Amino acid sequence: MYLKNHFSRIGFILAAAGSAVGLGNIWKFPYVTGEYGGGAFVLVYLLAILFIGLTVFLAEAVIGQNAQADVATSFVKTSKSKNKNWKFAGFILFSGLIILSFYSVVLGWILSYVFTSFGTLPSDAKTAGAAFETLISKDIAAQIAYHTIVAGSVIFIVLKGIKEGIERINLILMPLLGLILLGLLIYSFTLDSFSTAVSFMFSPDWSKIDGNALLAALGQAFFTLSLGVGTIMTYSASLPKNVNFVKSSIMVAIVDTAIAITAGLIIFSFLFEAGAQSSAGPGLVFISLPVIFSGWGFLGQVIAISFFVALVFAGITSAVSMIEPSLKFFIDRFNFTRRKATVICGSTFYLLGIVALLSMTSAYSESLTFFGKNAFDLMDFMTSSVMMPLAAILTCVFLGYFVDKELLQRIFTAHVSNLVFNIWYFLIKFIVPIAIITLFLNKLGIL
Ligand code: PHE
């Protein structure tokens, strides 16, 4: 029954774009761009999306769409040898559950800012910083409550399956997200600082670009396209085989990039209008922006609510895509019902999320610190610095060396020219693995 449950073409594009567009675009992209000085970083990031992100996206899509199965089975089915051991590549889907644990906590913080926006936002940076600090280090009950609302919504959506749950929620939330961002963009056009934001984002300052910036751009390209956790592979497994996956993948990458750039323009216009710093780091959205909104009176309140609601919408559609690979795995391989799979995976990430949030509080941080990192940071590190790069390297090496080239050529050339296939194949076989291995070793401090 589940296998018959397929996306429509537009449903897939929206769902994959919904997965891709998340906190990574609206929260992380602007602050990382700010930290690396703007234009040059944006350019490097665009190149990373085009040559590396899109290449790996196509890799996951081709495996998923061709095998029409869960991640573990897809590797076995696609391999030249059909060796059953390829099922161990399925380990990558657990990253999704781990990321979801702390992603849900962060989404909970954002939800709390939606509610705060209806009341009074802090009017200076000191109060704003203290309010955020209190939320994450002291307010356990509130954090658990918000995390519960987010986790409950994710579970509610995925229980309904691909078509009725995931496709439908994306069909509703993605256009709404687009509208809110368009509204905010139009508002930022009216600000004098808009042109400063444009030149900040598009005139390169090469002096800020070093090895770290290159790696940050590559890591961001991966995270924002939802690669390395089996999400794109799993969504593509529900994409009917006759749909042009190359075109659909390009569409997703374009939407994702357009939204990151739009979010950057909006946020930098706001920051420059208020004379604030562009390099505020992770606190940008939680500390700098609320202060700016509060200075704009009633209009500021409307903008604050719209902005945080947009973040929640973007985050929820990403969150559901993090759990789906695990659900499909249990449903397809172990014949679990969707309900049973959801209960198991849902309670796992929910409880891990509570561990993550407790590990940031002053009361529990000491007992929840392992290898010098609190549980929250450890989960982040294990996924983004270890498991996701490993998954990406594995996917490239798998396609480049353990899958029949003719098979891939046949699938690709049904949609694109042989030249395009050859470029993709060259990138996946040589360039991308080298780039990611460099990133990986560097993040682990080996290079
Ligand atoms: N792409 C999402 C974002 O930018 C995050 C994500 C990572 C979603 C991995 C699914 C899988 O926020």
Side-chain angles (χ1 to χ4, degrees), residues 333-347:
R333 278 191 87 92
F334 296 105
N335 272 323
F336 281 16
T337 58
R338 180 165 271 274
R339 181 184 291 263
K340 185 170 169 189
T342 308
V343 168
I344 294 177
C345 301
S347 41

Side-chain angles (χ1 to χ4, degrees), residues 151-425:
S153 317
V154 170
I155 289 171
F156 177 78
I157 296 164
V158 294
L159 261 181
K160 294 188 180 299
I162 288 278
K163 195 109 200 142
E164 297 295 313
I166 296 181
E167 177 162 322
R168 180 168 295 177
I169 195 77
N170 278 290
L171 239 47
I172 302 169
L173 295 188
M174 287 305 284
L176 285 177
L177 172 67
L179 275 180
I180 298 180
L181 289 177
L182 189 65
L184 292 173
L185 184 67
I186 292 174
Y187 177 69
S188 39
F189 274 148
T190 66
L191 302 173
D192 293 339
S193 54
F194 186 77
S195 54
T196 325
V198 172
S199 64
F200 178 72
M201 282 188 72
F202 298 108
S203 48
D205 169 7
W206 293 106
S207 68
K208 292 259 175 54
I209 297 299
D210 54 7
N212 285 335
L214 297 182
L215 294 168
L218 189 55
Q220 175 64 11
F222 259 89
F223 187 77
T224 191
L225 288 176
S226 307
L227 301 172
V229 305
T231 287
I232 299 308
M233 214 180 278
T234 300
Y235 273 14
S236 305
S238 295
L239 180 64
K241 274 198 158 183
N242 57 357
V243 175
N244 183 338
F245 72 97
V246 182
K247 230 176 165 174
S248 307
S249 304
I250 294 174
M251 289 282 284
V252 174
I254 291 177
V255 172
D256 183 70
T257 309
I259 293 200
I261 302 279
T262 306
L265 287 174
I266 294 170
I267 289 178
F268 290 122
S269 303
F270 289 178
L271 288 176
F272 295 147
E273 188 69 15
Q277 285 299 323
S278 58
S279 56
L284 193 149
V285 158
F286 296 107
I287 300 167
S288 317
L289 285 183
V291 176
I292 295 173
F293 295 148
S294 122
W296 289 348
F298 178 69
L299 182 65
Q301 190 161 20
V302 175
I303 292 178
I305 296 169
S306 322
F307 179 77
F308 288 115
V309 165
L311 262 174
V312 171
F313 286 177
I316 284 284
T317 50
S318 297
V320 295
S321 78
M322 294 174 188
I323 189 173
E324 186 59 24
S326 304
L327 300 182
K328 191 169 174 61
F329 173 75
F330 284 117
I331 295 170
D332 282 10
R333 278 191 87 92
F334 296 105
N335 272 323
F336 281 16
T337 58
R338 180 165 271 274
R339 181 184 291 263
K340 185 170 169 189
T342 308
V343 168
I344 294 177
C345 301
S347 41
T348 307
F349 93 76
Y350 178 67
L351 293 174
L352 275 178
I354 292 189
V355 174
L357 75 83
L358 287 179
S359 78
M360 305 265 281
T361 61
S362 32
Y364 295 96
S365 70
E366 212 162 298
S367 43
L368 292 172
T369 292
F370 312 94
F371 316 108
K373 286 190 192 317
N374 66 35
F376 189 111
D377 292 340
L378 188 66
M379 290 182 199
D380 182 17
F381 176 79
M382 279 304 294
T383 47
S384 60
S385 302
V386 182
M387 293 167 75
M388 292 168 85
L390 274 183
I393 296 166
L394 180 78
T395 309
C396 296
V397 172
F398 175 70
L399 284 173
Y401 302 89
F402 295 93
V403 174
D404 188 13
K405 183 176 174 189
E406 274 78 55
L407 170 74
L408 294 170
Q409 191 160 23
R410 215 169 338 110
I411 302 175
F412 267 84
T413 50
H415 305 299
V416 293
S417 68
N418 208 28
L419 176 69
V420 174
F421 168 73
N422 281 326
I423 296 175
W424 172 81
Y425 197 69

